[in-house]
Amino acid sequence: MRGLYLVLVQFFFLTITFKFSSCAGICKENEKRALLMLKKEANDPTNVLSTWIDGEDCCNWEGILCHNVTGSVIELSINGWDYAEIKGLKIDNFHWLSSLENLNRLDMSGVDLSEATNWTEVINMLPSLVNLRFSNCSLHSIPSLFDHNNSVLENLDLSLNNFSSPIPGWVFSFSNLVSLEFIGSNFIASFPKGPFNLTSFTTLSASSNLFSSVLPQWLFDLNNLEYLDLSNSLLEGQIPSGVGHFCKLSYLNLAINNLNSTIPNWLYGCKNLETLNLRENKLEGTVSDLISNLTSLTSIDMSVNLLSGKLPSVIGKLGKLEDLDLSENRFEGEVSEIFNTMNDCPPIGSGNCSSLRTLRLNDNKLVGNLPKSFGQLSNLQFCFMENNKLEGVLTEDHFTNLTNLKFFQASKSNLTLSVSSDWIPPFQASDILIGGWRLGPKFPLWIQSQQSIMNMDISNAGIVGEVPTWFWNLSSQIRFLNISHNQLIGEIPTFSISSDSIGSGGPWLIYLNSNNFSGSLPHIPTMVTELDLSNNSLSKGLTNFLCDKRNESYMLTILHLGGNHLSEEIPDCWMNWPELEVLNLGENKLSGGIPRSIGALSKLKSWDLKRNRLSGPLPSSLNNCTNLWKIDLNENELDGNLPTWLGTKLSNLTVLSLRSNKFDGELPPEFCQLSDLQILDLANNKLFGEIPMCVNNFTAMVNGRKVITDADEEMDYSYYVGVFRESARVATKGNIYQYDTILSLFTSMDLSNNNLSGNIPMNLTSLVGLRSLNFSNNHLIGSIPKDIGNMKVLESLDLSNNQLSGEIPRSISSLFSLSHLNVSHNNLSGRIPVSTQLQTFSSSSFSGNKLCGLPLSERCSDEGENPEVGNEEVDRSEDDNEVEWFYISMAIGFIVTFWGVSAPLLFIRPWRHAYYRFLDRK
């Protein structure tokens, strides 16, 4: 009987189980119809909804999750974007959604909802909705007011849309809200005014917006906030100085904003903080030693700020710290400070200070030598210390335990590496950039052990002699090779790239400049992108180098062969080098004309052929090079007229230097269309005619510099910023100067030593940003423009050896920046104006005229007995002259009156007696 009972019980439970299992996962009919309606109405070019087939259980459709008991659809998740096809699913309305009343998760990330203007009503349609994700949905509007009845929503994601409006306050009004995500949604203006009742709120991710406002205090009063990311959002002002009762933050990212306060003290009390990112702000002050309280920190990034003081040495006590970036600040003092707290470390690998993987201290003001405790960082992989003032000697002991080191960058320091000739580093690094270290005089043999090396800089290292063959073989795998500014000799072999490296992408940069390499130019692989062989002793011609592979195109963007002994004509095969942006063949012995194929370099920005023996006219094909910023052809034998297309086609020109050639003809008025021109040097040619009246159109000479755009990158062409900047040789102040890092700030116009005639254009003085002006040795007539004093930043002015007449304008006295002046050998007359500058110049600056006054020895005729009388006294106003004549008239009147009365008394006796009798009667 008992056995039968057990059998019946088991049967009962099996029946119940079967009954429920038969219902589990079976889609409800009304919900299935709603989903099919969505499929029918949607635009689905990539078949995202292809698994939604009528007649099948919708619980098995892709993106659908049903309740395992009721069968209700509880999750709808559609990834609507196909990145391969660059198109995706589009839905125009949500009227089908009301049937899915049990839905608690809706994720339509990537679906185009741009036409679904009622998208916010989704929240009211779904009373059980907990998680709503409308990321990257092309939404463009969000209501400022919205009355919702949802009390369970916890997570809202509206990232990657384009709202172009402030964040409305209602998004913070869901009582159970836990997480908000607004990444890259183009929200603008300030945050809504708080406070908000967000007792469960833990996460706000709102990076990459356009708030242009201060951080709201209420945000930092949320006691349960754990994750806050407001990076790259144009925030400004101060970080709030206070927080709520208890800081639970574990992630704080305020990077890439305009915050300008000090680091607030409350931050040092957030003991749960694991990631702290304050990069790229304007934070100032010091980093407090209280940072040692943040024992949970694994990542600190305070780079690119204005922080100062000594390095916070207590950071060494943060045993969990893996990434530390304090680069590009103003920290000073001994670099060893940050390692001092590591002296008491336990054995490597047992904890505390050995967790550090990334250390960035570059671009500060640190001094001293690295301590030997640096070598205890056994987990260190990335180390960046370049651009400091480090000095001292490093030995093998400094690297003993750095077995994981991959990137070591410490260039531009005065460090010396003193190791034995058979030293083998304990690491296999991919990047070793130690330019400026003392490594020589022998070539460092330890490099041979670095079989994984990809980027190497041992420039300016005092290395002398030939490069070992094994190094040239090793270089086949190196993408960035810089051994410049040494004393290396011998021939450069043909470059090759290892088969393992081919196809791995670029760039491939080779810098061997400023050595004493000789022989012919080496052949290079087509994938090399930058090559600098300048300032060596390379000889012969260019043909074998340039025309080696006529059927292949080179990827080279920078080619610098200047300062060698290259000769012969320039070959006509530039069509093989279509990517060139910088071409420098200056200071060689090249002859002949400029080939027509130079016009194939449509991407060319900088073109330098100065100080060669080139002849003939400029090829008309050059007008195809419309991206040119700089043309420097000075000191050649080029001739012909200056073509008008220089002004009409090459509108981006910033530097135009055709100095010391044989160009003739008139200056084309079309040159005035070069609004970006900062340096114009046409000196020492055979140009004639008048200076165009439209020179005031040189806008960059008005502003004082070209208006640099983001794409221009301050005339810095190289893949690695600062490796190859634009430069120009400028004649000013009687000398030749090389400008590079400050080139964008310099402006100059030099038309000297030509046959120019006519007047100096009066509107020249509107070029108020011009720093150097030279019109000397021409045939200019007329007067110096009277408003020349408006050119306030003018540093050098040379108008000598012309036929200028009239006086030197008094306004020239206001040129306080003037340090070089020459107006000699003209027909100028009158007094030299007085100023703090003019009288300090040599008398030769004014000789050959009819001028007077200091610094010349010739006195002016109105100086009287006192040659030291200043211009202020000589050139008195008419009022002053009237005062002088007033006193003179008084003196004359006194004399006339006195003698008119006294003379008769002295010389006429009856009058005198009558006057005495009159006095007696009194």
Side-chain angles (χ1 to χ4, degrees):
M1 189 69 180
R2 184 181 178 188
L4 179 61
Y5 174 79
L6 291 174
V7 170
L8 291 174
V9 170
Q10 290 176 358
F11 176 79
F12 174 80
F13 279 107
L14 285 172
T15 303
I16 296 297
T17 304
F18 176 79
K19 184 175 182 180
F20 276 103
S21 63
S22 65
C23 295
I26 298 177
C27 183
K28 291 185 175 181
E29 188 62 29
N30 65 323
E31 295 184 346
K32 181 178 180 179
R33 287 196 303 271
L35 293 171
L36 289 173
M37 184 182 300
L38 161 61
K39 179 180 179 180
K40 180 179 179 181
E41 295 181 356
N43 181 6
D44 188 11
T46 56
N47 292 319
V48 173
L49 307 179
S50 59
T51 64
W52 293 19
I53 300 174
D54 193 5
E56 295 186 4
D57 185 0
C58 72
C59 293
N60 296 323
W61 294 351
E62 186 175 349
I64 304 297
L65 179 64
C66 297
H67 193 277
N68 61 359
V69 176
T70 65
S72 298
V73 176
I74 57 175
E75 289 191 17
L76 172 57
S77 180
I78 304 173
N79 186 358
W81 186 253
D82 189 322
Y83 290 94
E85 298 290 335
I86 317 181
K87 57 185 177 181
L89 182 68
K90 184 177 182 180
I91 297 175
D92 292 343
N93 62 73
F94 288 102
H95 65 84
W96 50 270
L97 190 60
S98 58
S99 297
L100 307 179
E101 58 185 11
N102 294 305
L103 201 66
N104 60 51
R105 176 184 171 89
L106 177 60
D107 186 349
M108 289 195 165
S109 300
V111 177
D112 185 350
L113 303 179
S114 57
E115 301 297 325
T117 55
N118 65 332
W119 67 268
T120 51
E121 292 300 325
V122 168
I123 298 172
N124 284 336
M125 291 180 185
L126 305 172
S128 301
L129 189 64
V130 174
N131 194 323
L132 176 61
R133 296 189 176 276
F134 279 175
S135 172
N136 192 24
C137 290
S138 301
L139 298 175
H140 51 79
S141 63
I142 184 169
S144 58
L145 298 174
F146 176 58
D147 187 15
H148 63 83
N149 54 18
N150 187 299
S151 61
V152 297
L153 189 69
E154 294 180 2
N155 304 297
L156 176 61
D157 184 357
L158 299 176
S159 300
L160 301 174
N161 288 291
N162 187 23
F163 293 118
S164 299
S165 64
I167 299 177
W170 61 262
V171 300
F172 294 98
S173 64
F174 299 96
S175 57
N176 287 325
L177 195 63
V178 174
S179 171
L180 280 175
E181 295 183 52
F182 301 139
I183 303 169
S185 292
N186 199 24
F187 279 119
I188 61 175
S190 58
F191 280 80
K193 292 183 178 180
F196 295 95
N197 185 24
L198 297 172
T199 56
S200 302
F201 193 65
T202 64
T203 302
L204 176 60
S205 187
S207 61
S208 302
N209 283 283
L210 303 172
F211 296 127
S212 299
S213 68
V214 298
L215 283 165
Q217 177 65 53
W218 62 262
L219 188 58
F220 291 85
D221 290 335
L222 299 175
N223 293 334
N224 292 307
L225 190 64
E226 298 176 4
Y227 186 102
L228 178 60
D229 186 352
L230 294 172
S231 58
N232 192 27
S233 292
L234 297 182
L235 295 169
E236 55 194 29
Q238 298 189 342
I239 300 175
S241 57
V243 296
H245 301 297
F246 186 70
C247 178
K248 292 185 178 180
L249 278 172
S250 63
Y251 183 96
L252 177 60
N253 190 347
L254 301 177
I256 318 177
N257 284 294
N258 294 310
L259 302 172
N260 58 10
S261 64
T262 57
I263 299 174
N265 283 333
W266 62 260
L267 188 59
Y268 301 119
C270 299
K271 295 186 178 182
N272 295 325
L273 197 61
E274 297 177 3
T275 298
L276 174 60
N277 192 342
L278 303 176
R279 176 173 62 95
E280 286 189 54
N281 279 284
K282 298 176 182 177
L283 300 176
E284 48 190 18
T286 60
V287 178
S288 171
D289 285 348
L290 293 174
I291 199 170
S292 62
N293 295 333
L294 307 182
T295 54
S296 298
L297 274 173
T298 61
S299 176
I300 300 175
D301 190 345
M302 299 182 182
S303 61
V304 198
N305 277 287
L306 304 174
L307 298 170
S308 57
K310 292 185 177 182
L311 287 174
S313 60
V314 294
I315 285 180
K317 296 181 179 180
L318 300 176
K320 295 182 180 180
L321 192 62
E322 297 178 357
D323 303 296
L324 174 61
D325 191 346
L326 301 177
S327 62
E328 297 187 56
N329 277 286
R330 299 174 179 178
F331 290 114
E332 55 191 9
E334 295 282 337
V335 68
S336 59
E337 288 290 324
I338 202 164
F339 301 102
N340 283 344
T341 52
M342 299 180 183
N343 291 332
D344 299 325
C345 288
I348 296 301
S350 61
N352 200 13
C353 62
S354 63
S355 299
L356 201 63
R357 296 182 310 173
T358 303
L359 176 62
R360 293 178 180 267
L361 301 176
N362 54 284
D363 298 279
N364 279 287
K365 300 177 181 180
L366 303 175
V367 298
N369 195 12
L370 289 174
K372 291 183 180 180
S373 56
F374 170 70
Q376 296 184 14
L377 302 177
S378 62
N379 286 320
L380 191 64
Q381 298 180 31
F382 308 91
C383 182
F384 303 86
M385 294 187 179
E386 64 267 23
N387 290 324
N388 280 289
K389 300 178 181 179
L390 306 182
E391 56 185 1
V393 178
L394 301 182
T395 65
E396 293 98 324
D397 294 339
H398 289 83
F399 301 92
T400 302
N401 293 304
L402 299 181
T403 55
N404 288 300
L405 192 63
K406 301 297 181 185
F407 295 79
F408 185 60
Q409 300 184 13
S411 297
K412 299 182 181 179
S413 292
N414 192 25
L415 291 166
T416 299
L417 182 61
S418 178
V419 295
S420 61
S421 58
D422 59 351
W423 179 58
I424 298 178
F427 49 79
Q428 283 291 320
S430 62
D431 285 43
I432 299 178
L433 305 179
I434 50 176
W437 285 36
R438 298 296 93 191
L439 304 177
K442 294 182 178 180
F443 201 94
L445 298 179
W446 56 266
I447 295 176
Q448 190 173 6
S449 68
Q450 299 301 297
Q451 298 302 312
S452 301
I453 195 72
M454 294 179 62
N455 298 289
M456 171 163 285
D457 181 358
I458 53 172
S459 61
N460 191 26
I463 305 173
V464 180
E466 291 196 30
V467 178
T469 302
W470 60 260
F471 181 80
W472 291 125
N473 294 333
L474 184 66
S475 67
S476 65
Q477 69 187 42
I478 300 179
R479 295 182 180 180
F480 172 59
L481 174 61
N482 189 350
I483 58 174
S484 65
H485 295 89
N486 283 292
Q487 300 176 47
L488 300 171
I489 61 175
E491 294 191 7
I492 303 172
T494 296
F495 282 102
S496 62
I497 292 179
S498 66
S499 57
D500 294 336
S501 300
I502 294 176
S504 59
W508 298 90
L509 321 175
I510 302 172
Y511 286 81
L512 310 183
N513 51 295
S514 302
N515 281 287
N516 199 25
F517 290 118
S518 56
S520 303
L521 292 171
H523 294 291
I524 63 170
T526 56
M527 62 276 292
V528 173
T529 51
E530 298 181 18
L531 177 64
D532 189 348
L533 303 177
S534 63
N535 299 313
N536 280 289
S537 299
L538 301 171
S539 57
K540 301 183 180 178
L542 294 167
T543 303
N544 289 336
F545 173 79
L546 290 175
C547 309
D548 179 38
K549 299 178 181 179
R550 290 184 176 272
N551 297 323
E552 296 186 46
S553 291
Y554 288 81
M555 301 301 294
L556 204 66
T557 61
I558 295 177
L559 176 60
H560 192 354
L561 303 176
N564 281 287
H565 305 307
L566 301 173
S567 57
E568 303 176 7
E569 294 188 359
I570 301 175
D572 196 13
C573 52
W574 291 102
M575 65 286 296
N576 298 333
W577 305 80
E579 302 299 321
L580 270 179
E581 297 180 9
V582 177
L583 174 59
N584 191 332
L585 304 176
E587 299 181 89
N588 280 288
K589 300 175 182 178
L590 300 171
S591 58
I594 299 173
R596 283 188 53 80
S597 62
I598 203 75
L601 306 180
S602 59
K603 297 182 180 180
L604 196 62
K605 293 181 179 180
S606 178
W607 188 39
D608 193 331
L609 296 177
K610 66 175 176 287
R611 303 180 74 179
N612 279 285
R613 301 169 183 172
L614 301 172
S615 58
L618 295 177
S620 58
S621 61
L622 188 62
N623 66 15
N624 296 324
C625 304
T626 55
N627 290 306
L628 271 168
W629 281 2
K630 168 188 164 182
I631 295 178
D632 189 345
L633 304 176
N634 72 66
E635 296 186 50
N636 280 284
E637 299 175 13
L638 300 168
D639 55 29
N641 293 344
L642 296 179
T644 58
W645 49 258
L646 276 175
T648 57
K649 297 291 187 179
L650 310 186
S651 59
N652 292 316
L653 272 178
T654 301
V655 177
L656 177 59
S657 180
L658 305 178
R659 183 185 189 88
S660 299
N661 280 282
K662 298 179 180 180
F663 291 111
D664 55 20
E666 297 186 359
L667 276 174
E670 287 81 1
F671 270 33
C672 296
Q673 297 182 33
L674 300 174
S675 59
D676 288 339
L677 200 61
Q678 287 181 218
I679 296 175
L680 175 62
D681 191 347
L682 304 178
N684 303 334
N685 281 286
K686 300 178 181 180
L687 303 173
F688 57 81
E690 297 186 356
I691 299 172
M693 296 295 293
C694 55
V695 291
N696 60 317
N697 290 337
F698 293 140
T699 307
M701 296 183 185
V702 177
N703 297 330
R705 61 176 295 172
K706 176 184 176 181
V707 178
I708 302 291
T709 65
D710 290 340
D712 293 342
E713 295 180 355
E714 291 284 350
M715 303 183 185
D716 202 332
Y717 301 108
S718 179
Y719 179 86
Y720 289 102
V721 175
V723 173
F724 196 96
R725 284 194 178 99
E726 186 58 275
S727 64
R729 287 163 53 90
V730 180
T732 181
K733 303 179 184 179
N735 290 297
I736 301 292
Y737 296 92
Q738 182 86 6
Y739 290 90
D740 41 46
T741 55
I742 62 170
L743 177 60
S744 62
L745 303 175
F746 194 78
T747 49
S748 171
M749 184 187 298
D750 192 343
L751 305 179
S752 62
N753 293 296
N754 281 285
N755 296 311
L756 299 174
S757 57
N759 295 308
I760 298 175
M762 291 295 125
N763 58 14
L764 176 77
T765 60
S766 65
L767 304 182
V768 294
L770 197 63
R771 294 184 179 274
S772 179
L773 176 63
N774 191 343
F775 287 168
S776 65
N777 293 288
N778 280 288
H779 307 294
L780 300 176
I781 60 174
S783 59
I784 300 173
K786 65 177 182 177
D787 293 330
I788 197 167
N790 293 339
M791 305 172 76
K792 299 294 185 183
V793 298
L794 201 61
E795 299 170 5
S796 178
L797 175 62
D798 193 343
L799 303 176
S800 62
N801 292 288
N802 280 285
Q803 300 169 26
L804 300 173
S805 58
E807 294 185 346
I808 298 176
R810 293 181 185 178
S811 67
I812 203 171
S813 300
S814 61
L815 298 181
F816 300 115
S817 297
L818 199 64
S819 59
H820 178 83
L821 174 67
N822 193 348
V823 294
S824 64
H825 302 288
N826 279 285
N827 297 318
L828 300 171
S829 59
R831 176 183 296 278
I832 298 173
V834 174
S835 77
T836 54
Q837 275 84 19
L838 297 181
Q839 276 60 50
T840 64
F841 294 126
S842 169
S843 60
S844 61
S845 297
F846 303 95
S847 63
N849 288 286
K850 300 176 183 178
L851 297 168
C852 62
L854 294 176
L856 297 176
S857 58
E858 290 83 358
R859 296 181 179 180
C860 296
S861 58
D862 57 353
E863 284 182 346
E865 297 299 323
N866 185 5
E868 300 298 323
V869 174
N871 200 58
E872 296 88 347
E873 296 178 357
V874 176
D875 296 324
R876 291 174 183 266
S877 65
E878 291 182 2
D879 291 336
D880 290 335
N881 291 330
E882 289 176 3
V883 172
E884 292 177 1
W885 279 107
F886 172 77
Y887 288 112
I888 292 172
S889 300
M890 286 182 62
I892 294 173
F894 174 80
I895 293 171
V896 171
T897 304
F898 176 81
W899 286 108
V901 175
S902 302
L905 295 176
L906 291 174
F907 300 106
I908 304 176
R909 180 176 295 178
W911 285 30
R912 186 167 61 250
H913 291 169
Y915 179 71
Y916 290 149
R917 285 195 298 270
F918 172 77
L919 294 176
D920 288 340
R921 287 197 296 269
K922 293 291 184 183

